């Protein structure tokens, strides 16, 4: 372990950090954000996930990451993200360690860096990190030992790239691989949403024809247009003729922060009902990163209806996370070794 | 440190904005006082002579805002470490805000600081007293006592006084005792624990944002109170184009106000955060190109009176965390003069204006006799080799805080000598 106080790089952080996601050969080393990754990498993730989707359905387990240790390092509560990461790791035959930091070390005053150093000492190969602060996954990737890969499972309001990729996977399965003709509307609390930011980057990188956000101004960050979206404040107008409608979860805390008057008024204006969904295309799919608030951002009849692919998203989450794990831990091995599985399917 | 009763600085280009002087001449110093310019005083037999040929001889810099961290946060910096760093950078007088631990809200703390400064024996230090007790914004501090102990002004530091009635009364009471009130304009409800400018970078990185209005709404409110109470007021660390406009209009309307900008605001924007560069986490936040240019113009037109360092040294760990969890601030003493001179290099302002903004003007705002080379003034002087080119490197930073985004920046113009009260306290 290097004494952090004497490491000069500690003082020079922030230089070209986007590039730390790729190794010298342009292969995925960390998966921190969609931003800065090319169409080729995103398609590679989707193709690899496609091959693993077969594993999930029939074989259940492949030995790709046998002998590797993966740490689920969650500083924020999560059920489905942590569980699907764990399942994905186990299906790749890795050993998984779940550490729930919100209830352990930090309450004893240990710094993030101290926690990191201790885990490194346990000979781990990958950290899957969720943390309340934007930029924490970058920070950890920048300070972890060189052999460790870092996967961002959600950092503050910044990014949740595996969620965005499982959403792209869901869209591709339903609408085909060419996103050029698609209109995708993301509805709800864009301001606080790392999911929305990653989705916007992913959709634009995959050349989606029309990406829209729909929300009242209190839930939209400034200059969001510069990320490549058009902005709507009216739900029906925003989802008009959309191929994909993505609803975001509305946290109850937003009422306290004076961002919204009430859940009732929000549902009246932005809740997705069967009736409102009429303005989207007849074959539009409805997505939600979960967990859903029935009667707040989405009506039960839509969430459970035939256009909802919400549960498929959860299933696909395992294949997509297997793809990202295998690509980051073994370079291109993930692609090569699983091509057989794809044939089998 | 070299002590000498008489010192001659020969053949330097003496630039003294306070006296509209810019000429090659000799400067005579006796017993810590400037006693002659061009003309040798009687009975002058210098123990020491500095040949300043091809060098600039300017007033020692006066920094309007430098946190030395002592008392209370000595792991970040001490009076000794930071006053030494100041002298290597040509700064001979530092003004410290009251948010030390304990707060500078009683004469004993002022005396403690003065004693430590005297023992350290490097740069001069003047203090701002707390505007309210414990900086809590509830009760007035004993302003007259603080003034009596040597405080040159009053401020509530980064702790905004939320109760406008308390603020109004604090201004009235300060005006009664002819004390300048220093204001770091920030509406804490609007800044809402944000850490970056409310613009495309914060949006892209998902960083909690600070809108313009956090600064401008606060300035608007304070200007109304200043107009009503007729207090003399100084606005510290402007960051927005609109703020420059408001201060400019207030001056035109006859209000007794002045303002400064931190040097880093004249060179960095939100874009420099790039991907979470915690060295660019500052409050007020780095704004955009348009704001940076307006701040530069403000310096050129005089709407902004002074450039300060807003020095905030930190221990290494303070910046070793995810961006929002890092402590804001830059260790900035050693880039105050280099960045100011760089504005001249970039043809933003002329040399006299640059020197005026870091010496004479801040001294005038503080109401102290410094920042000039007048006969009978204290001999606080900085001698610069204007042609020396150098690069800021981590290892060369003298401050205890190594937190700066300017590592690797190239500069022209290097401090050769710093003289405080006639003593050569630094020679490069």
């Amino acid at each position: 372990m290097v004494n952090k106080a004497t490491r000069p790089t500690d003082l020079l952080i922030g230089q070209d950090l986007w590039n730390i996601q790729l190794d010298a050969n342009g292969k995925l080393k960390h998966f921190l954000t969609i931003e800065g990754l090319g169409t080729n990498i995103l398609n590679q993730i989707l193709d690899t996930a496609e091959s693993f989707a077969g594993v999930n359905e029939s074989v259940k387990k492949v030995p790709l990451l046998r002998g590797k240790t993966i740490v689920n390092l969650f500083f924020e509560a999560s059920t489905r993200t942590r569980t699907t990461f764990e399942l994905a790791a186990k299906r790749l035959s890795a050993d998984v360690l779940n550490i729930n930091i919100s209830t352990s070390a930090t309450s004893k005053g240990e710094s993030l860096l101290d926690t990191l150093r201790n885990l490194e000492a346990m000979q781990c190969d990958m950290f899957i990190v969720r943390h309340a602060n934007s930029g924490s996954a970058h920070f950890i990737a920048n300070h972890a030992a060189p052999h460790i890969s870092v996967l961002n499972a959600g950092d503050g309001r910044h990014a949740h790239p595996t969620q965005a990729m499982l959403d792209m996977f869901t869209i591709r399965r339903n609408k085909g691989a060419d996103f050029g003709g698609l209109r995708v509307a993301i509805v709800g609390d864009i301001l606080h949403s790392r999911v929305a930011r990653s989705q916007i980057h992913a959709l634009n990188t995959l050349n989606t024809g029309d990406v829209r956000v729909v929300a009242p101004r209190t839930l939209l960050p400034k200059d969001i247009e510069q990320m490549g979206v058009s902005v709507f404040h009216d739900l029906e107008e925003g989802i008009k003729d959309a191929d994909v409608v993505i609803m975001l979860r509305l946290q109850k805390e937003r009422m306290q922060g004076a961002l919204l008057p009430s859940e009732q008024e929000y549902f009246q204006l932005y809740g997705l009902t069967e009736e409102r969904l009429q303005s989207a295309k007849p074959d539009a799919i409805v997505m939600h990163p979960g967990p859903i608030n029935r009667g707040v951002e989405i009506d039960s009849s839509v969430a459970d209806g035939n256009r909802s692919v919400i549960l498929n998203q959860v299933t696909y989450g395992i294949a997509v996370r297997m793809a990202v794990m295998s690509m980051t831990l073994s370079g291109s091995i993930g692609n090569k070794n699983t091509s057989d599985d794809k044939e089998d399917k | 440190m070299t002590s000498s009763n008489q010192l001659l600085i020969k053949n330097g280009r003496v630039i003294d904005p306070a006296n509209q002087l810019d000429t090659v001449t000799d400067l005579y110093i006796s017993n810590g006082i400037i006693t002659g310019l061009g003309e040798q005083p009687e009975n002058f037999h210098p123990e020491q002579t500095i040949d300043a040929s091809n060098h600039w001889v300017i007033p020692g810099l006066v920094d309007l805002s430098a946190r030395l961290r002592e008392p209370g946060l000595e792991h970040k910096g001490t009076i000794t470490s930071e006053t030494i760093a100041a002298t290597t950078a040509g700064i001979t007088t530092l003004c410290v805000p009251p948010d030390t631990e304990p707060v500078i809200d009683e004469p004993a703390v002022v005396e403690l600081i003065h004693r430590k400064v005297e023992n350290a024996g490097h740069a001069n230090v003047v203090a701002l007293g707390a505007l309210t007790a414990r900086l809590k914004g509830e009760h007035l501090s004993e302003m007259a006592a603080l003034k009596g102990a040597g405080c040159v002004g009053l401020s509530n530091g980064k702790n905004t006084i939320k109760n406008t009635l308390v603020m109004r009364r604090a201004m009235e009471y300060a005006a009664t005792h002819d004390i300048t009130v220093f204001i770091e304009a920030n509406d804490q409800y609007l800044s809402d624990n944000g850490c970056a400018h409310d613009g495309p970078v914060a949006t892209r990185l998902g960083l909690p944002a600070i809108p313009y209005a956090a600064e401008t709404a606060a300035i608007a409110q304070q200007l109304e109170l200043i107009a009503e109470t007729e207090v003399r007021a100084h606005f510290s660390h402007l960051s927005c184009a609109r703020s420059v406009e408001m201060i400019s209009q207030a001056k035109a309307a006859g209000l007794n106000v002045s303002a400064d900008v931190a040097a880093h605001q004249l060179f960095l924007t939100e874009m420099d955060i790039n991907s979470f560069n915690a060295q660019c986490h500052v409050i007020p936040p780095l704004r955009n190109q348009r704001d940076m240019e307006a701040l530069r113009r403000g310096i050129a037109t005089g709407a902004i009176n002074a450039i300060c360092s807003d020095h905030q040294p930190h221990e290494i760990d303070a910046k070793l965390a995810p961006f929002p969890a890092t402590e804001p601030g830059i260790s900035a003493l050693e880039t105050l003069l280099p960045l100011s001179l760089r504005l001249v290099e970039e043809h933003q302002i002329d040399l006299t204006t640059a020197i005026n903004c870091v010496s004479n003007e801040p001294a005038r705002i503080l109401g102290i006799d410094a920042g000039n080379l007048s006969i009978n003034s204290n001999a606080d002087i900085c001698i610069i080799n204007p042609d020396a080119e150098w690069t800021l490197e981590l290892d060369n930073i003298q401050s205890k805080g190594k937190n700066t985004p300017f590592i690797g920046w190239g500069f022209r113009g290097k401090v050769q000598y710093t003289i405080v009260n006639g003593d050569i306290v630094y020679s490069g």
Side-chain angles (χ1 to χ4, degrees), chain B residues 291-414:
Chain B
D291 295 296
M292 190 184 87
E293 282 163 10
L295 292 166
R296 287 175 162 209
R297 261 197 316 279
I299 287 291
T301 61
I304 299 176
N305 302 69
I307 306 172
C308 72
S309 72
D310 192 11
H311 177 63
Q312 295 180 47
H314 284 298
E315 77 281 17
I316 288 172
D317 282 346
K319 293 286 188 186
L320 281 181
F323 190 96
T326 57
E327 293 185 52
I330 294 175
S331 175
L333 290 176
E334 288 151 88
T335 42
L336 175 60
L337 178 64
L339 290 173
S340 302
L341 292 181
R342 200 170 153 138
L343 283 179
V344 181
E345 288 266 306
E346 293 181 14
H347 306 292
Q348 299 295 320
I349 51 176
D350 60 39
L351 181 58
T352 309
T353 305
I355 294 169
N356 192 43
C357 284
V358 292
S359 59
N360 177 49
E361 201 53 23
R364 195 188 60 77
I365 289 162
L366 295 171
I368 56 174
D369 177 23
N372 65 73
L373 301 176
S374 308
I375 308 287
N376 293 329
S377 281
N378 286 336
D380 294 343
I381 297 163
C382 171
I383 301 176
I384 298 169
N385 175 354
D387 300 317
E389 291 183 14
W390 59 286
T391 302
L392 185 69
E393 281 165 29
L394 212 50
D395 292 342
N396 299 335
I397 293 177
Q398 299 299 310
S399 166
K400 201 163 176 182
K402 312 297 179 193
N403 49 301
T404 167
F406 293 108
I407 300 291
W409 280 49
F411 296 106
R412 184 201 283 266
K414 207 169 182 350

Side-chain angles (χ1 to χ4, degrees), chain B residues 94-106:
Chain B
L94 296 155
C95 179
V96 299
D99 46 11
T100 47
E101 181 61 51
V103 166
I104 307 179
D105 64 352
E106 49 181 286

